[in-house]
Amino acid sequence: MISICRDVERVLISEEEIQNRVRELGRQISGDYRGKRPILVAVLRGAIVFLCDLMRYMSIPVTVDFLSVSSYSGHIQTGVVRILKDLDENIEKRYVILIEDIVDTGLTLSYIIKTLKTRNPAHISVCALLDKRSRRVVDVPVDYVGFEIPDEFVVGYGMDYNQKYRNLPFIGVLRREILQG
Ligand code: IMP
């Protein structure tokens, strides 16, 4: 067992549940995007683990690119969204699938979609592993959702708390004293 597991109060979504759902999403997206050669744009850094699994469950040709935005410090939302690393690829006339770890208020995604739309892609869709729908501040379309979760701060499977816990293979809730620091 990884020692950081001790900081986890409970497992919200197990490794097996994640893999089963990501496999389903991979199949579904492959069917929907046949012949379209989509570009998977992962939002760094939280979405990398999801991207790596999802793309291996896809049976159609895809390309990948990365975008990095900053909006959080610790687990408190600052509300400030900045592009830290832009795409390398030109997305004009391309089918873009934004890959997100979690949609919370929706502010990050709404900013990203607005920015990418100015580059004239053929279409933009969103695939998020987790959706905290009850926390939404702006309405953003999420086309593919892995799991809807309650309003709790989660870590693992790419998601962090102060850059830790990304390597947990499951999604868990941290013990209260860790979050209170
Ligand atoms: P939004 O702009 O509020 O939708 O925030 C989206 C981003 O906040 C996600 O891509 C995550 O990086 C981060 N985030 C939101 N909730 C959590 C959480 O429970 N755990 C880890 N990161 C989170």
Side-chain angles (χ1 to χ4, degrees), residues 71-72 77 100-109 132 152-154 159-160:
S71 61
Y72 278 84
Q77 191 207 347
E100 258 284 32
D101 51 355
I102 179 165
V103 186
D104 187 14
T105 63
L107 289 167
T108 310
L109 206 51
K132 269 193 218 173
E152 285 190 283
F153 193 82
V154 294
M159 284 164 287
D160 75 308

Side-chain angles (χ1 to χ4, degrees), residues 3-167:
S3 67
I4 51 173
C5 284
R6 280 189 230 117
D7 296 351
V8 174
E9 184 183 273
R10 85 198 130 83
V11 174
L12 196 66
I13 309 171
S14 71
E15 185 173 0
E16 191 184 353
E17 287 173 304
I18 296 172
Q19 290 302 323
N20 288 340
R21 184 68 187 119
V22 176
R23 189 182 305 114
E24 279 174 8
L25 286 173
R27 286 190 185 141
Q28 189 185 351
I29 296 172
S30 298
D32 293 351
Y33 281 83
R34 207 157 295 282
K36 295 199 165 89
R37 213 170 52 87
I39 173 163
L40 307 178
V41 172
V43 183
L44 295 172
R45 302 168 207 169
I48 53 168
V49 180
F50 180 36
L51 170 76
C52 290
D53 281 344
L54 182 71
M55 65 192 284
R56 284 178 295 174
Y57 288 126
M58 291 179 66
S59 55
I60 55 168
V62 296
T63 52
V64 294
D65 204 349
F66 301 92
L67 189 68
S68 176
V69 295
S70 141
S71 61
Y72 278 84
S73 148
H75 72 288
I76 312 291
Q77 191 207 347
T78 61
V80 179
V81 181
R82 276 182 307 133
I83 291 197
L84 301 177
K85 186 229 163 277
D86 208 335
L87 299 178
D88 292 324
E89 302 280 325
N90 179 358
I91 59 166
E92 193 176 353
K93 300 197 177 102
R94 298 289 306 273
Y95 286 84
V96 176
I97 307 177
L98 276 169
I99 311 294
E100 258 284 32
D101 51 355
I102 179 165
V103 186
D104 187 14
T105 63
L107 289 167
T108 310
L109 206 51
S110 120
Y111 173 82
I112 292 173
I113 293 171
K114 207 164 60 188
T115 304
L116 296 189
K117 269 190 178 158
T118 64
R119 302 177 190 182
N120 301 318
H123 187 255
I124 300 180
S125 67
V126 175
C127 175
L129 179 68
L130 304 179
D131 188 355
K132 269 193 218 173
R133 205 158 292 170
S134 62
R135 295 246 319 151
R136 204 69 98 251
V137 170
V138 282
D139 194 24
V140 279
V142 185
D143 305 83
Y144 304 95
V145 177
F147 304 90
E148 195 171 324
I149 62 161
D151 180 12
E152 285 190 283
F153 193 82
V154 294
V155 294
Y157 198 70
M159 284 164 287
D160 75 308
Y161 175 60
N162 287 343
Q163 299 306 327
K164 261 175 95 176
Y165 310 108
R166 294 192 197 275
N167 53 325

